[in-house]
Amino acid sequence: MNDQLISKLLQIMSIALASKDTVTHTRAQYQDCTEKLLLQVVPNFLSGINHIYEDIKLLRGGNVSRISEEYCKDGNVSQYVSALLLSRGTTIVYNHLEKRSSFFYNFFVKALRQNKIVTHFNCYWSPAGSSGAGKHADIHDVLVVQLAGSKCWKFEGRNIDLRAGDILFVRKGTLHDPVSPEGSDSLHLTIGMVTEPESCPAFPEPVFMCEPWQQRHALQFVKSMNVLSTTLLPAIHLDEKVHVVEDTEKIFFLYRKNELSLAKILYMAVFTQQSVGRLLYFRSEVDRQSIINFILTIYKSGIPFCLEK
């Protein structure tokens, strides 16, 4: 199945490169292809792809920064740190997936052998209503695959809205400004293509394989971030393995060695009375920043949960 997906993407690359246009937009024609690609991308960068911290870039309003090594434990950015960065309007970029994932490594090898093209793969995760890289032009051709959410690509005299399943080709030297709209975060993959390489990078084939449970967990987390970006009040769905214990003054959420305790007076101010248990409903009068802060607190505690609309 992976070989078929790589062959299909190579075909899409060839068609895009053969075009004389500087920008080519394909609407939802390769939906099945992008859905399979999503399964290759998300679990890897959230579940052990062993990124070195130098290959994780942070973007906000055209400004570039790097994540501290202390926040990149075992090559991964934790859910708490990811949620914190996204809540602050920061785009997280995972560079050089071809060095971390066997799927993208095989893609890199086939593109080089069959098409004489050096490719590199970067994943951009942007919160709603944000500008990451700002206005810029790339020094190589780029194929953009919108994996989830939506993003507006602003060109001189033209804007293109990408939705999940869309593909965009941008010729090198073309000025563009990608912006995430209000109400929807964005996850997209860029395939950089160097068609006349002067040299070719050499690196070993990665051996990491993602387990099925890691795939489900990672996808669930990505979807949770999209719920957090909307204006609707999310509900917190606790993992079935979380124990909820109540005494006269506090409510405890327990999972393995992790614990989160809330004073009852605080709990009653944030959640509805009937919300103790698997599903926690926020009160409608609670302001959005307080909701985000509380959700970040749960991520930091290590209590497993997901967000629901």
Side-chain angles (χ1 to χ4, degrees), residues 10-20 24 30 169 171:
L10 287 173
Q11 180 184 2
I12 295 171
M13 280 175 46
S14 298
I15 294 173
L17 289 169
S19 171
K20 296 181 180 180
T24 306
Y30 303 105
F169 172 71
R171 186 74 66 182

Side-chain angles (χ1 to χ4, degrees), residues 6 9-10 13-14 17 95-99 103-122 140-143 189-197 199-203:
I6 291 173
L9 289 169
L10 287 173
M13 280 175 46
S14 298
L17 289 169
N95 287 326
H96 297 299
L97 297 182
E98 70 277 8
K99 297 180 181 179
F103 172 83
F104 290 106
Y105 174 84
N106 290 331
F107 195 135
F108 170 86
V109 171
K110 286 191 174 183
L112 185 61
R113 290 176 178 172
Q114 296 179 17
N115 301 66
K116 309 301 182 189
I117 297 174
V118 171
T119 53
H120 60 270
F121 306 84
N122 302 333
H140 48 72
D141 298 326
V142 176
L143 194 70
L189 175 74
T190 63
I191 305 175
M193 299 172 288
V194 181
T195 53
E196 297 179 359
S199 62
C200 179
F203 46 88

Side-chain angles (χ1 to χ4, degrees), residues 25-28 34 144-146 161-168:
H25 176 214
T26 305
R27 174 73 75 189
T34 54
V144 180
V145 184
Q146 189 68 32
D161 294 318
L162 294 190
R163 298 192 293 267
D166 289 2
I167 290 179
L168 180 70

Side-chain angles (χ1 to χ4, degrees), residues 11 46 49 55 64 80 82 149 152 174 182 231 271:
Q11 180 184 2
L46 286 175
I49 199 170
D55 276 347
V64 182
Y80 165 66
S82 297
C152 177
T174 305
E182 295 291 341
T231 56
F271 297 104

Side-chain angles (χ1 to χ4, degrees), residues 146-253:
Q146 189 68 32
L147 299 173
S150 60
K151 177 156 282 190
C152 177
W153 288 70
K154 298 181 178 182
F155 300 92
E156 292 185 348
R158 180 186 183 189
N159 292 345
I160 297 177
D161 294 318
L162 294 190
R163 298 192 293 267
D166 289 2
I167 290 179
L168 180 70
F169 172 71
V170 182
R171 186 74 66 182
K172 64 181 179 180
T174 305
L175 201 63
H176 57 279
D177 183 10
V179 178
S180 298
E182 295 291 341
S184 176
D185 61 359
S186 170
L187 186 69
H188 77 263
L189 175 74
T190 63
I191 305 175
M193 299 172 288
V194 181
T195 53
E196 297 179 359
E198 296 180 358
S199 62
C200 179
F203 46 88
E205 180 177 359
V207 295
F208 171 75
M209 295 295 290
C210 191
E211 299 293 335
W213 69 269
Q214 291 176 313
Q215 289 185 340
R216 293 191 299 271
H217 186 66
L219 287 170
Q220 190 178 64
F221 176 61
V222 170
K223 292 177 180 178
S224 290
M225 288 297 96
N226 190 42
V227 172
L228 192 59
S229 298
T230 66
T231 56
L232 299 175
L233 283 177
I236 296 175
H237 187 269
L238 297 171
D239 187 278
E240 60 182 11
K241 295 180 181 178
V242 176
H243 297 285
V244 182
V245 180
E246 181 179 357
D247 66 14
T248 55
E249 296 184 354
K250 291 187 176 183
I251 293 176
F252 300 88
F253 301 96

